[in-house]
PDB file of all heavy atoms in Angstrom:
ATOM      1  N   ARG A 907      -0.923   3.053  -9.745  1.00 90.00           N
ATOM      2  CA  ARG A 907      -1.750   2.306 -10.704  1.00 90.00           C
ATOM      3  C   ARG A 907      -2.499   1.182 -10.002  1.00 90.00           C
ATOM      4  O   ARG A 907      -3.671   0.924 -10.295  1.00 90.00           O
ATOM      5  CB  ARG A 907      -0.879   1.731 -11.823  1.00 90.00           C
ATOM      6  CG  ARG A 907      -0.453   2.745 -12.867  1.00 90.00           C
ATOM      7  CD  ARG A 907      -0.078   2.055 -14.183  1.00 90.00           C
ATOM      8  NE  ARG A 907       0.957   1.039 -13.995  1.00 90.00           N
ATOM      9  CZ  ARG A 907       2.262   1.282 -14.127  1.00 90.00           C
ATOM     10  NH1 ARG A 907       2.694   2.497 -14.433  1.00 90.00           N
ATOM     11  NH2 ARG A 907       3.132   0.310 -13.958  1.00 90.00           N
ATOM     12  N   ARG A 908      -1.816   0.510  -9.085  1.00 89.00           N
ATOM     13  CA  ARG A 908      -2.448  -0.594  -8.343  1.00 89.00           C
ATOM     14  C   ARG A 908      -3.571  -0.064  -7.453  1.00 89.00           C
ATOM     15  O   ARG A 908      -4.620  -0.697  -7.338  1.00 89.00           O
ATOM     16  CB  ARG A 908      -1.381  -1.306  -7.509  1.00 89.00           C
ATOM     17  CG  ARG A 908      -1.837  -2.570  -6.804  1.00 89.00           C
ATOM     18  CD  ARG A 908      -1.880  -3.768  -7.723  1.00 89.00           C
ATOM     19  NE  ARG A 908      -2.097  -4.992  -6.953  1.00 89.00           N
ATOM     20  CZ  ARG A 908      -1.194  -5.950  -6.787  1.00 89.00           C
ATOM     21  NH1 ARG A 908      -0.011  -5.834  -7.378  1.00 89.00           N
ATOM     22  NH2 ARG A 908      -1.450  -7.022  -6.079  1.00 89.00           N
ATOM     23  N   ILE A 909      -3.363   1.097  -6.843  1.00 88.00           N
ATOM     24  CA  ILE A 909      -4.408   1.700  -6.018  1.00 88.00           C
ATOM     25  C   ILE A 909      -5.627   2.029  -6.879  1.00 88.00           C
ATOM     26  O   ILE A 909      -6.779   1.822  -6.475  1.00 88.00           O
ATOM     27  CB  ILE A 909      -3.892   2.977  -5.307  1.00 88.00           C
ATOM     28  CG1 ILE A 909      -2.885   2.604  -4.217  1.00 88.00           C
ATOM     29  CG2 ILE A 909      -5.052   3.772  -4.695  1.00 88.00           C
ATOM     30  CD1 ILE A 909      -2.205   3.790  -3.561  1.00 88.00           C
ATOM     31  N   GLY A 910      -5.360   2.518  -8.099  1.00 85.00           N
ATOM     32  CA  GLY A 910      -6.451   2.841  -9.013  1.00 85.00           C
ATOM     33  C   GLY A 910      -7.319   1.636  -9.337  1.00 85.00           C
ATOM     34  O   GLY A 910      -8.533   1.765  -9.526  1.00 85.00           O
ATOM     35  N   LYS A 911      -6.705   0.467  -9.388  1.00 81.00           N
ATOM     36  CA  LYS A 911      -7.449  -0.753  -9.699  1.00 81.00           C
ATOM     37  C   LYS A 911      -8.299  -1.217  -8.521  1.00 81.00           C
ATOM     38  O   LYS A 911      -9.170  -2.070  -8.679  1.00 81.00           O
ATOM     39  CB  LYS A 911      -6.481  -1.869 -10.104  1.00 81.00           C
ATOM     40  CG  LYS A 911      -5.785  -1.614 -11.433  1.00 81.00           C
ATOM     41  CD  LYS A 911      -4.819  -2.740 -11.775  1.00 81.00           C
ATOM     42  CE  LYS A 911      -4.120  -2.482 -13.100  1.00 81.00           C
ATOM     43  NZ  LYS A 911      -3.149  -3.546 -13.446  1.00 81.00           N
ATOM     44  N   THR A 912      -8.008  -0.682  -7.320  1.00 74.00           N
ATOM     45  CA  THR A 912      -8.788  -1.069  -6.137  1.00 74.00           C
ATOM     46  C   THR A 912      -9.671   0.090  -5.679  1.00 74.00           C
ATOM     47  O   THR A 912     -10.029   0.186  -4.510  1.00 74.00           O
ATOM     48  CB  THR A 912      -7.847  -1.502  -4.983  1.00 74.00           C
ATOM     49  OG1 THR A 912      -6.991  -0.387  -4.636  1.00 74.00           O
ATOM     50  CG2 THR A 912      -7.005  -2.681  -5.380  1.00 74.00           C
ATOM     51  N   SER A 913     -10.018   1.001  -6.611  1.00 67.00           N
ATOM     52  CA  SER A 913     -10.819   2.174  -6.252  1.00 67.00           C
ATOM     53  C   SER A 913     -12.206   1.777  -5.752  1.00 67.00           C
ATOM     54  O   SER A 913     -12.754   2.385  -4.836  1.00 67.00           O
ATOM     55  CB  SER A 913     -10.943   3.122  -7.450  1.00 67.00           C
ATOM     56  OG  SER A 913     -11.480   2.438  -8.565  1.00 67.00           O
ATOM     57  N   LYS A 914     -12.783   0.756  -6.385  1.00 66.00           N
ATOM     58  CA  LYS A 914     -14.053   0.216  -5.894  1.00 66.00           C
ATOM     59  C   LYS A 914     -13.717  -0.974  -5.022  1.00 66.00           C
ATOM     60  O   LYS A 914     -13.624  -2.114  -5.481  1.00 66.00           O
ATOM     61  CB  LYS A 914     -14.951  -0.190  -7.061  1.00 66.00           C
ATOM     62  CG  LYS A 914     -15.373   0.984  -7.936  1.00 66.00           C
ATOM     63  CD  LYS A 914     -16.274   0.522  -9.064  1.00 66.00           C
ATOM     64  CE  LYS A 914     -16.715   1.709  -9.927  1.00 66.00           C
ATOM     65  NZ  LYS A 914     -17.576   1.285 -11.043  1.00 66.00           N
ATOM     66  N   VAL A 915     -13.518  -0.682  -3.755  1.00 61.00           N
ATOM     67  CA  VAL A 915     -12.946  -1.673  -2.845  1.00 61.00           C
ATOM     68  C   VAL A 915     -13.963  -2.704  -2.406  1.00 61.00           C
ATOM     69  O   VAL A 915     -15.004  -2.374  -1.851  1.00 61.00           O
ATOM     70  CB  VAL A 915     -12.341  -0.980  -1.606  1.00 61.00           C
ATOM     71  CG1 VAL A 915     -11.681  -2.005  -0.702  1.00 61.00           C
ATOM     72  CG2 VAL A 915     -11.343   0.075  -2.021  1.00 61.00           C
ATOM     73  N   SER A 916     -13.641  -3.957  -2.689  1.00 69.00           N
ATOM     74  CA  SER A 916     -14.418  -5.056  -2.123  1.00 69.00           C
ATOM     75  C   SER A 916     -13.820  -5.387  -0.766  1.00 69.00           C
ATOM     76  O   SER A 916     -12.754  -4.888  -0.390  1.00 69.00           O
ATOM     77  CB  SER A 916     -14.343  -6.279  -3.040  1.00 69.00           C
ATOM     78  OG  SER A 916     -13.013  -6.776  -3.066  1.00 69.00           O
ATOM     79  N   LYS A 917     -14.471  -6.252  -0.044  1.00 67.00           N
ATOM     80  CA  LYS A 917     -13.977  -6.625   1.285  1.00 67.00           C
ATOM     81  C   LYS A 917     -12.605  -7.280   1.174  1.00 67.00           C
ATOM     82  O   LYS A 917     -11.716  -7.049   1.995  1.00 67.00           O
ATOM     83  CB  LYS A 917     -14.971  -7.574   1.952  1.00 67.00           C
ATOM     84  CG  LYS A 917     -14.645  -7.881   3.402  1.00 67.00           C
ATOM     85  CD  LYS A 917     -15.745  -8.717   4.042  1.00 67.00           C
ATOM     86  CE  LYS A 917     -15.424  -8.996   5.498  1.00 67.00           C
ATOM     87  NZ  LYS A 917     -16.481  -9.819   6.151  1.00 67.00           N
ATOM     88  N   ASP A 918     -12.397  -8.077   0.125  1.00 67.00           N
ATOM     89  CA  ASP A 918     -11.125  -8.779  -0.056  1.00 67.00           C
ATOM     90  C   ASP A 918      -9.994  -7.817  -0.414  1.00 67.00           C
ATOM     91  O   ASP A 918      -8.832  -8.081  -0.135  1.00 67.00           O
ATOM     92  CB  ASP A 918     -11.258  -9.839  -1.160  1.00 67.00           C
ATOM     93  CG  ASP A 918     -12.184 -10.969  -0.759  1.00 67.00           C
ATOM     94  OD1 ASP A 918     -12.362 -11.179   0.460  1.00 67.00           O
ATOM     95  OD2 ASP A 918     -12.727 -11.630  -1.663  1.00 67.00           O
ATOM     96  N   GLN A 919     -10.346  -6.697  -1.060  1.00 79.00           N
ATOM     97  CA  GLN A 919      -9.322  -5.746  -1.491  1.00 79.00           C
ATOM     98  C   GLN A 919      -8.990  -4.693  -0.448  1.00 79.00           C
ATOM     99  O   GLN A 919      -8.038  -3.930  -0.618  1.00 79.00           O
ATOM    100  CB  GLN A 919      -9.777  -5.039  -2.773  1.00 79.00           C
ATOM    101  CG  GLN A 919      -9.810  -5.930  -4.001  1.00 79.00           C
ATOM    102  CD  GLN A 919     -10.320  -5.179  -5.212  1.00 79.00           C
ATOM    103  OE1 GLN A 919     -11.309  -4.470  -5.142  1.00 79.00           O
ATOM    104  NE2 GLN A 919      -9.614  -5.335  -6.328  1.00 79.00           N
ATOM    105  N   ALA A 920      -9.765  -4.643   0.628  1.00 83.00           N
ATOM    106  CA  ALA A 920      -9.569  -3.594   1.631  1.00 83.00           C
ATOM    107  C   ALA A 920      -8.173  -3.647   2.236  1.00 83.00           C
ATOM    108  O   ALA A 920      -7.517  -2.613   2.408  1.00 83.00           O
ATOM    109  CB  ALA A 920     -10.626  -3.710   2.721  1.00 83.00           C
ATOM    110  N   LYS A 921      -7.709  -4.857   2.527  1.00 84.00           N
ATOM    111  CA  LYS A 921      -6.387  -4.997   3.140  1.00 84.00           C
ATOM    112  C   LYS A 921      -5.295  -4.585   2.162  1.00 84.00           C
ATOM    113  O   LYS A 921      -4.322  -3.934   2.540  1.00 84.00           O
ATOM    114  CB  LYS A 921      -6.171  -6.439   3.601  1.00 84.00           C
ATOM    115  CG  LYS A 921      -4.881  -6.627   4.379  1.00 84.00           C
ATOM    116  CD  LYS A 921      -4.871  -7.950   5.128  1.00 84.00           C
ATOM    117  CE  LYS A 921      -3.676  -8.018   6.055  1.00 84.00           C
ATOM    118  NZ  LYS A 921      -3.700  -9.227   6.909  1.00 84.00           N
ATOM    119  N   GLU A 922      -5.472  -4.970   0.888  1.00 88.00           N
ATOM    120  CA  GLU A 922      -4.485  -4.606  -0.118  1.00 88.00           C
ATOM    121  C   GLU A 922      -4.404  -3.085  -0.270  1.00 88.00           C
ATOM    122  O   GLU A 922      -3.307  -2.522  -0.326  1.00 88.00           O
ATOM    123  CB  GLU A 922      -4.839  -5.237  -1.471  1.00 88.00           C
ATOM    124  CG  GLU A 922      -3.872  -4.837  -2.585  1.00 88.00           C
ATOM    125  CD  GLU A 922      -4.222  -5.464  -3.923  1.00 88.00           C
ATOM    126  OE1 GLU A 922      -5.024  -6.415  -3.942  1.00 88.00           O
ATOM    127  OE2 GLU A 922      -3.694  -4.996  -4.941  1.00 88.00           O
ATOM    128  N   ARG A 923      -5.555  -2.437  -0.343  1.00 89.00           N
ATOM    129  CA  ARG A 923      -5.571  -0.980  -0.509  1.00 89.00           C
ATOM    130  C   ARG A 923      -4.909  -0.294   0.682  1.00 89.00           C
ATOM    131  O   ARG A 923      -4.153   0.672   0.518  1.00 89.00           O
ATOM    132  CB  ARG A 923      -6.999  -0.482  -0.686  1.00 89.00           C
ATOM    133  CG  ARG A 923      -7.077   0.998  -1.010  1.00 89.00           C
ATOM    134  CD  ARG A 923      -8.510   1.421  -1.309  1.00 89.00           C
ATOM    135  NE  ARG A 923      -8.591   2.852  -1.554  1.00 89.00           N
ATOM    136  CZ  ARG A 923      -8.336   3.428  -2.715  1.00 89.00           C
ATOM    137  NH1 ARG A 923      -7.994   2.685  -3.755  1.00 89.00           N
ATOM    138  NH2 ARG A 923      -8.429   4.737  -2.871  1.00 89.00           N
ATOM    139  N   LYS A 924      -5.162  -0.801   1.889  1.00 90.00           N
ATOM    140  CA  LYS A 924      -4.562  -0.223   3.091  1.00 90.00           C
ATOM    141  C   LYS A 924      -3.042  -0.351   3.049  1.00 90.00           C
ATOM    142  O   LYS A 924      -2.316   0.590   3.379  1.00 90.00           O
ATOM    143  CB  LYS A 924      -5.128  -0.931   4.328  1.00 90.00           C
ATOM    144  CG  LYS A 924      -4.685  -0.312   5.644  1.00 90.00           C
ATOM    145  CD  LYS A 924      -5.357  -1.015   6.818  1.00 90.00           C
ATOM    146  CE  LYS A 924      -4.907  -0.402   8.145  1.00 90.00           C
ATOM    147  NZ  LYS A 924      -5.540  -1.092   9.302  1.00 90.00           N
ATOM    148  N   LEU A 925      -2.564  -1.523   2.612  1.00 92.00           N
ATOM    149  CA  LEU A 925      -1.121  -1.736   2.493  1.00 92.00           C
ATOM    150  C   LEU A 925      -0.516  -0.796   1.451  1.00 92.00           C
ATOM    151  O   LEU A 925       0.539  -0.192   1.675  1.00 92.00           O
ATOM    152  CB  LEU A 925      -0.830  -3.190   2.110  1.00 92.00           C
ATOM    153  CG  LEU A 925       0.624  -3.503   1.716  1.00 92.00           C
ATOM    154  CD1 LEU A 925       1.553  -3.321   2.908  1.00 92.00           C
ATOM    155  CD2 LEU A 925       0.744  -4.908   1.149  1.00 92.00           C
ATOM    156  N   LEU A 926      -1.185  -0.665   0.314  1.00 94.00           N
ATOM    157  CA  LEU A 926      -0.678   0.197  -0.757  1.00 94.00           C
ATOM    158  C   LEU A 926      -0.589   1.648  -0.307  1.00 94.00           C
ATOM    159  O   LEU A 926       0.379   2.355  -0.639  1.00 94.00           O
ATOM    160  CB  LEU A 926      -1.576   0.078  -1.987  1.00 94.00           C
ATOM    161  CG  LEU A 926      -1.553  -1.269  -2.718  1.00 94.00           C
ATOM    162  CD1 LEU A 926      -2.659  -1.324  -3.773  1.00 94.00           C
ATOM    163  CD2 LEU A 926      -0.194  -1.520  -3.365  1.00 94.00           C
ATOM    164  N   GLN A 927      -1.561   2.099   0.453  1.00 94.00           N
ATOM    165  CA  GLN A 927      -1.537   3.475   0.942  1.00 94.00           C
ATOM    166  C   GLN A 927      -0.376   3.680   1.920  1.00 94.00           C
ATOM    167  O   GLN A 927       0.312   4.720   1.879  1.00 94.00           O
ATOM    168  CB  GLN A 927      -2.872   3.812   1.638  1.00 94.00           C
ATOM    169  CG  GLN A 927      -4.076   3.858   0.714  1.00 94.00           C
ATOM    170  CD  GLN A 927      -4.085   5.099  -0.181  1.00 94.00           C
ATOM    171  OE1 GLN A 927      -3.137   5.876  -0.209  1.00 94.00           O
ATOM    172  NE2 GLN A 927      -5.176   5.285  -0.927  1.00 94.00           N
ATOM    173  N   ARG A 928      -0.151   2.700   2.798  1.00 95.00           N
ATOM    174  CA  ARG A 928       0.979   2.774   3.736  1.00 95.00           C
ATOM    175  C   ARG A 928       2.303   2.801   2.989  1.00 95.00           C
ATOM    176  O   ARG A 928       3.212   3.566   3.308  1.00 95.00           O
ATOM    177  CB  ARG A 928       0.968   1.556   4.679  1.00 95.00           C
ATOM    178  CG  ARG A 928       0.073   1.714   5.903  1.00 95.00           C
ATOM    179  CD  ARG A 928       0.033   0.436   6.718  1.00 95.00           C
ATOM    180  NE  ARG A 928       1.356  -0.113   6.933  1.00 95.00           N
ATOM    181  CZ  ARG A 928       1.632  -1.417   6.921  1.00 95.00           C
ATOM    182  NH1 ARG A 928       0.672  -2.294   6.675  1.00 95.00           N
ATOM    183  NH2 ARG A 928       2.855  -1.841   7.167  1.00 95.00           N
ATOM    184  N   LEU A 929       2.395   1.956   1.981  1.00 96.00           N
ATOM    185  CA  LEU A 929       3.623   1.851   1.199  1.00 96.00           C
ATOM    186  C   LEU A 929       3.868   3.129   0.400  1.00 96.00           C
ATOM    187  O   LEU A 929       5.011   3.608   0.301  1.00 96.00           O
ATOM    188  CB  LEU A 929       3.524   0.641   0.275  1.00 96.00           C
ATOM    189  CG  LEU A 929       4.779   0.213  -0.496  1.00 96.00           C
ATOM    190  CD1 LEU A 929       5.967   0.036   0.432  1.00 96.00           C
ATOM    191  CD2 LEU A 929       4.502  -1.080  -1.247  1.00 96.00           C
ATOM    192  N   LYS A 930       2.809   3.693  -0.141  1.00 96.00           N
ATOM    193  CA  LYS A 930       2.918   4.954  -0.894  1.00 96.00           C
ATOM    194  C   LYS A 930       3.451   6.062   0.007  1.00 96.00           C
ATOM    195  O   LYS A 930       4.373   6.808  -0.364  1.00 96.00           O
ATOM    196  CB  LYS A 930       1.548   5.330  -1.453  1.00 96.00           C
ATOM    197  CG  LYS A 930       1.534   6.624  -2.275  1.00 96.00           C
ATOM    198  CD  LYS A 930       0.156   6.815  -2.887  1.00 96.00           C
ATOM    199  CE  LYS A 930       0.089   8.072  -3.762  1.00 96.00           C
ATOM    200  NZ  LYS A 930       0.121   9.302  -2.950  1.00 96.00           N
ATOM    201  N   GLU A 931       2.901   6.168   1.200  1.00 96.00           N
ATOM    202  CA  GLU A 931       3.362   7.187   2.155  1.00 96.00           C
ATOM    203  C   GLU A 931       4.825   6.945   2.549  1.00 96.00           C
ATOM    204  O   GLU A 931       5.601   7.890   2.693  1.00 96.00           O
ATOM    205  CB  GLU A 931       2.468   7.163   3.393  1.00 96.00           C
ATOM    206  CG  GLU A 931       2.837   8.219   4.424  1.00 96.00           C
ATOM    207  CD  GLU A 931       1.926   8.187   5.637  1.00 96.00           C
ATOM    208  OE1 GLU A 931       0.860   7.533   5.577  1.00 96.00           O
ATOM    209  OE2 GLU A 931       2.285   8.809   6.653  1.00 96.00           O
ATOM    210  N   TYR A 932       5.179   5.694   2.684  1.00 97.00           N
ATOM    211  CA  TYR A 932       6.547   5.328   3.065  1.00 97.00           C
ATOM    212  C   TYR A 932       7.543   5.795   2.004  1.00 97.00           C
ATOM    213  O   TYR A 932       8.566   6.417   2.314  1.00 97.00           O
ATOM    214  CB  TYR A 932       6.623   3.803   3.228  1.00 97.00           C
ATOM    215  CG  TYR A 932       7.880   3.294   3.895  1.00 97.00           C
ATOM    216  CD1 TYR A 932       7.972   3.248   5.272  1.00 97.00           C
ATOM    217  CD2 TYR A 932       8.953   2.841   3.130  1.00 97.00           C
ATOM    218  CE1 TYR A 932       9.120   2.755   5.898  1.00 97.00           C
ATOM    219  CE2 TYR A 932      10.108   2.363   3.741  1.00 97.00           C
ATOM    220  CZ  TYR A 932      10.179   2.319   5.121  1.00 97.00           C
ATOM    221  OH  TYR A 932      11.321   1.854   5.733  1.00 97.00           O
ATOM    222  N   LEU A 933       7.239   5.526   0.740  1.00 96.00           N
ATOM    223  CA  LEU A 933       8.130   5.918  -0.351  1.00 96.00           C
ATOM    224  C   LEU A 933       8.147   7.434  -0.544  1.00 96.00           C
ATOM    225  O   LEU A 933       9.185   8.004  -0.913  1.00 96.00           O
ATOM    226  CB  LEU A 933       7.700   5.236  -1.651  1.00 96.00           C
ATOM    227  CG  LEU A 933       7.858   3.715  -1.712  1.00 96.00           C
ATOM    228  CD1 LEU A 933       7.310   3.183  -3.027  1.00 96.00           C
ATOM    229  CD2 LEU A 933       9.306   3.309  -1.544  1.00 96.00           C
ATOM    230  N   GLU A 934       7.032   8.087  -0.316  1.00 96.00           N
ATOM    231  CA  GLU A 934       6.968   9.541  -0.461  1.00 96.00           C
ATOM    232  C   GLU A 934       7.849  10.263   0.553  1.00 96.00           C
ATOM    233  O   GLU A 934       8.169  11.440   0.382  1.00 96.00           O
ATOM    234  CB  GLU A 934       5.517  10.023  -0.353  1.00 96.00           C
ATOM    235  CG  GLU A 934       4.690   9.694  -1.587  1.00 96.00           C
ATOM    236  CD  GLU A 934       3.228  10.051  -1.432  1.00 96.00           C
ATOM    237  OE1 GLU A 934       2.763  10.196  -0.278  1.00 96.00           O
ATOM    238  OE2 GLU A 934       2.531  10.172  -2.470  1.00 96.00           O
ATOM    239  N   ASN A 935       8.249   9.552   1.587  1.00 95.00           N
ATOM    240  CA  ASN A 935       9.185  10.094   2.582  1.00 95.00           C
ATOM    241  C   ASN A 935      10.629   9.723   2.245  1.00 95.00           C
ATOM    242  O   ASN A 935      11.496   9.701   3.119  1.00 95.00           O
ATOM    243  CB  ASN A 935       8.832   9.591   3.979  1.00 95.00           C
ATOM    244  CG  ASN A 935       7.597  10.286   4.539  1.00 95.00           C
ATOM    245  OD1 ASN A 935       7.516  11.505   4.532  1.00 95.00           O
ATOM    246  ND2 ASN A 935       6.636   9.511   5.011  1.00 95.00           N
ATOM    247  N   ASP A 936      10.866   9.428   0.940  1.00 91.00           N
ATOM    248  CA  ASP A 936      12.218   9.140   0.419  1.00 91.00           C
ATOM    249  C   ASP A 936      12.860   7.927   1.082  1.00 91.00           C
ATOM    250  O   ASP A 936      14.066   7.884   1.303  1.00 91.00           O
ATOM    251  CB  ASP A 936      13.144  10.361   0.585  1.00 91.00           C
ATOM    252  CG  ASP A 936      12.695  11.530  -0.264  1.00 91.00           C
ATOM    253  OD1 ASP A 936      11.937  11.306  -1.226  1.00 91.00           O
ATOM    254  OD2 ASP A 936      13.089  12.668   0.034  1.00 91.00           O
ATOM    255  N   ARG A 937      12.040   6.922   1.393  1.00 94.00           N
ATOM    256  CA  ARG A 937      12.568   5.682   1.960  1.00 94.00           C
ATOM    257  C   ARG A 937      12.417   4.550   0.952  1.00 94.00           C
ATOM    258  O   ARG A 937      11.452   4.515   0.188  1.00 94.00           O
ATOM    259  CB  ARG A 937      11.853   5.351   3.275  1.00 94.00           C
ATOM    260  CG  ARG A 937      12.221   6.302   4.404  1.00 94.00           C
ATOM    261  CD  ARG A 937      11.515   5.958   5.690  1.00 94.00           C
ATOM    262  NE  ARG A 937      10.091   6.276   5.626  1.00 94.00           N
ATOM    263  CZ  ARG A 937       9.268   6.205   6.678  1.00 94.00           C
ATOM    264  NH1 ARG A 937       9.731   5.826   7.857  1.00 94.00           N
ATOM    265  NH2 ARG A 937       7.996   6.505   6.542  1.00 94.00           N
ATOM    266  N   MET A 938      13.373   3.637   0.965  1.00 95.00           N
ATOM    267  CA  MET A 938      13.380   2.517   0.029  1.00 95.00           C
ATOM    268  C   MET A 938      12.486   1.393   0.558  1.00 95.00           C
ATOM    269  O   MET A 938      12.459   1.102   1.764  1.00 95.00           O
ATOM    270  CB  MET A 938      14.803   2.008  -0.171  1.00 95.00           C
ATOM    271  CG  MET A 938      15.795   3.081  -0.595  1.00 95.00           C
ATOM    272  SD  MET A 938      15.582   3.605  -2.303  1.00 95.00           S
ATOM    273  CE  MET A 938      16.520   2.320  -3.155  1.00 95.00           C
ATOM    274  N   ALA A 939      11.791   0.736  -0.343  1.00 95.00           N
ATOM    275  CA  ALA A 939      10.838  -0.309   0.048  1.00 95.00           C
ATOM    276  C   ALA A 939      11.508  -1.503   0.710  1.00 95.00           C
ATOM    277  O   ALA A 939      10.851  -2.265   1.419  1.00 95.00           O
ATOM    278  CB  ALA A 939      10.046  -0.775  -1.166  1.00 95.00           C
ATOM    279  N   ILE A 940      12.826  -1.682   0.524  1.00 94.00           N
ATOM    280  CA  ILE A 940      13.516  -2.833   1.102  1.00 94.00           C
ATOM    281  C   ILE A 940      13.472  -2.803   2.626  1.00 94.00           C
ATOM    282  O   ILE A 940      13.573  -3.838   3.291  1.00 94.00           O
ATOM    283  CB  ILE A 940      14.981  -2.907   0.594  1.00 94.00           C
ATOM    284  CG1 ILE A 940      15.563  -4.291   0.891  1.00 94.00           C
ATOM    285  CG2 ILE A 940      15.833  -1.786   1.167  1.00 94.00           C
ATOM    286  CD1 ILE A 940      16.885  -4.548   0.189  1.00 94.00           C
ATOM    287  N   SER A 941      13.288  -1.606   3.211  1.00 93.00           N
ATOM    288  CA  SER A 941      13.225  -1.498   4.670  1.00 93.00           C
ATOM    289  C   SER A 941      11.781  -1.442   5.185  1.00 93.00           C
ATOM    290  O   SER A 941      11.547  -1.305   6.386  1.00 93.00           O
ATOM    291  CB  SER A 941      13.991  -0.253   5.144  1.00 93.00           C
ATOM    292  OG  SER A 941      13.480   0.924   4.535  1.00 93.00           O
ATOM    293  N   PHE A 942      10.802  -1.565   4.275  1.00 95.00           N
ATOM    294  CA  PHE A 942       9.390  -1.549   4.655  1.00 95.00           C
ATOM    295  C   PHE A 942       9.030  -2.870   5.338  1.00 95.00           C
ATOM    296  O   PHE A 942       9.449  -3.936   4.908  1.00 95.00           O
ATOM    297  CB  PHE A 942       8.515  -1.341   3.420  1.00 95.00           C
ATOM    298  CG  PHE A 942       7.043  -1.265   3.695  1.00 95.00           C
ATOM    299  CD1 PHE A 942       6.464  -0.083   4.136  1.00 95.00           C
ATOM    300  CD2 PHE A 942       6.233  -2.379   3.510  1.00 95.00           C
ATOM    301  CE1 PHE A 942       5.097  -0.009   4.378  1.00 95.00           C
ATOM    302  CE2 PHE A 942       4.870  -2.322   3.752  1.00 95.00           C
ATOM    303  CZ  PHE A 942       4.303  -1.132   4.194  1.00 95.00           C
ATOM    304  N   GLU A 943       8.259  -2.796   6.414  1.00 94.00           N
ATOM    305  CA  GLU A 943       7.892  -4.000   7.161  1.00 94.00           C
ATOM    306  C   GLU A 943       6.418  -4.320   6.978  1.00 94.00           C
ATOM    307  O   GLU A 943       5.555  -3.478   7.241  1.00 94.00           O
ATOM    308  CB  GLU A 943       8.209  -3.828   8.650  1.00 94.00           C
ATOM    309  CG  GLU A 943       9.699  -3.702   8.948  1.00 94.00           C
ATOM    310  CD  GLU A 943       9.986  -3.617  10.437  1.00 94.00           C
ATOM    311  OE1 GLU A 943       9.026  -3.737  11.243  1.00 94.00           O
ATOM    312  OE2 GLU A 943      11.163  -3.431  10.802  1.00 94.00           O
ATOM    313  N   CYS A 944       6.149  -5.539   6.524  1.00 93.00           N
ATOM    314  CA  CYS A 944       4.767  -6.019   6.395  1.00 93.00           C
ATOM    315  C   CYS A 944       4.310  -6.601   7.732  1.00 93.00           C
ATOM    316  O   CYS A 944       5.114  -7.147   8.489  1.00 93.00           O
ATOM    317  CB  CYS A 944       4.665  -7.066   5.294  1.00 93.00           C
ATOM    318  SG  CYS A 944       5.032  -6.425   3.644  1.00 93.00           S
ATOM    319  N   SER A 945       3.012  -6.504   7.990  1.00 90.00           N
ATOM    320  CA  SER A 945       2.496  -6.932   9.295  1.00 90.00           C
ATOM    321  C   SER A 945       2.214  -8.425   9.369  1.00 90.00           C
ATOM    322  O   SER A 945       2.172  -9.003  10.459  1.00 90.00           O
ATOM    323  CB  SER A 945       1.226  -6.147   9.641  1.00 90.00           C
ATOM    324  OG  SER A 945       0.230  -6.358   8.654  1.00 90.00           O
ATOM    325  N   ASP A 946       1.994  -9.089   8.208  1.00 90.00           N
ATOM    326  CA  ASP A 946       1.724 -10.524   8.225  1.00 90.00           C
ATOM    327  C   ASP A 946       2.054 -11.134   6.861  1.00 90.00           C
ATOM    328  O   ASP A 946       2.458 -10.430   5.926  1.00 90.00           O
ATOM    329  CB  ASP A 946       0.261 -10.806   8.602  1.00 90.00           C
ATOM    330  CG  ASP A 946      -0.736 -10.070   7.711  1.00 90.00           C
ATOM    331  OD1 ASP A 946      -0.459  -9.945   6.493  1.00 90.00           O
ATOM    332  OD2 ASP A 946      -1.778  -9.624   8.212  1.00 90.00           O
TER     333      ASP A 946
END
C-alpha cells in the first residue's frame, strides 16, 4: 500500500520507494523485518 502511494515518485520519495522495494523483497524471502538493516 505504501509503495502504491509513491507510484508517482518525486525526488524526495525516491529513497523511500527504493527502501520499500528492498524491504518487500526481504520479506518475500520469508525473513522477519527485525533482522532487516537500514543503510542510514
Side-chain angles (χ1 to χ4, degrees):
R907 283 202 304 267
R908 187 80 170 249
I909 290 174
K911 292 179 180 179
T912 60
S913 56
K914 296 181 179 179
V915 183
S916 66
K917 187 174 181 180
D918 293 337
Q919 290 178 314
K921 186 165 189 174
E922 177 180 345
R923 186 175 177 83
K924 186 176 180 181
L925 170 66
L926 292 171
Q927 293 287 7
R928 275 175 47 218
L929 189 52
K930 181 174 182 289
E931 182 179 346
Y932 192 85
L933 293 177
E934 287 175 340
N935 285 309
D936 294 340
R937 290 180 288 188
M938 306 287 277
I940 195 169
S941 57
F942 182 81
E943 294 183 4
C944 295
S945 59
D946 54 37

